[in-house]
Amino acid sequence: MAEIVVYYSLEGSTEIVAKEIAAALNCDLLRIETIKKYASKGFMKFVHGGRDVFMNKKPALKPYEFDASKYDTIIFATPVWASNFVPALKTFIDVHKDALKGKHFNLYTGFLGGGADIAAEKLAEYLEIDGFENHLVLIDPLKKPSYENKEKIEEFCKKIRGVA
């Protein structure tokens, strides 16, 4: 079984966790990035990100390499924006929608203000699946690293491998 972590990170918090998951599973890692960068500081960060979520935007992505046929399991990692997953994942999913069918899906969501479960439901609906096999939720792991977070990541990875 081959796995890949597909992630979007604006400020680095999701990236840290995505890299930890990929290292623990010894699997591939794919960062998706938008061509047009979102503001990463101040009020405009929330305005532009929230606007794109509510307006169902699908931003153009920088080039990347991904062959879905190489993977049985996809682990998405996304920050939560306005109780939703990031618009960049919509673009990625739309490009690979047919190739993603029948895969095993797991999810990591990180947030500051809540909405992780709602974001997971919306992403599952967008993927046209009943839900995620495993869902890891952490609160601001970049600014609030902890031993507990590391334990949660380890447990999440064990569940993906079926050893928990």
Side-chain angles (χ1 to χ4, degrees):
M1 176 193 302
E3 300 110 356
I4 187 169
V5 178
V6 177
Y7 76 98
Y8 174 88
S9 187
L10 180 63
E11 297 177 303
S13 187
T14 302
E15 182 172 47
I16 287 171
V17 176
K19 286 181 174 181
E20 286 186 37
I21 293 168
L25 294 171
N26 191 28
C27 72
D28 290 342
L29 181 69
L30 173 61
R31 179 179 183 153
I32 57 173
E33 299 177 82
T34 56
I35 291 174
K36 184 178 178 186
K37 296 255 185 210
Y38 286 96
S40 61
K41 295 186 184 327
F43 183 68
M44 295 314 289
K45 171 176 85 171
F46 300 103
V47 170
H48 292 145
R51 175 202 62 211
D52 283 4
V53 166
F54 288 117
M55 296 193 68
N56 202 27
K57 296 271 185 171
K58 297 173 190 171
L61 302 178
K62 290 183 179 180
Y64 59 87
E65 293 198 23
F66 175 74
D67 179 358
S69 69
K70 293 170 52 177
Y71 306 103
D72 301 300
T73 300
I74 312 291
I75 301 124
F76 285 116
T78 179
V80 176
W81 290 3
S83 296
N84 213 323
F85 60 99
V86 292
L89 278 183
K90 284 186 178 186
T91 305
F92 178 86
I93 291 165
D94 283 354
V95 169
H96 303 286
K97 194 129 192 158
D98 290 337
L100 293 174
K101 291 191 185 309
K103 303 291 183 188
H104 298 275
F105 293 104
N106 295 273
L107 177 64
Y108 159 69
T109 51
F111 68 96
L112 298 176
D117 290 335
I118 296 168
E121 289 172 14
K122 290 177 180 178
L123 182 52
E125 183 179 317
Y126 202 75
L127 285 164
E128 299 175 358
I129 61 174
D130 291 333
F132 291 93
E133 292 179 8
N134 300 286
H135 180 198
L136 171 65
V137 178
L138 299 176
I139 302 168
D140 198 9
L142 182 64
K143 294 180 183 160
K144 298 177 183 175
S146 70
Y147 180 73
E148 182 180 277
N149 283 352
K150 292 209 178 285
E151 286 182 327
K152 287 179 180 180
I153 292 168
E154 287 175 15
E155 187 67 23
F156 177 70
C157 292
K158 286 178 183 176
K159 287 179 181 177
I160 290 170
R161 287 282 166 86
V163 294

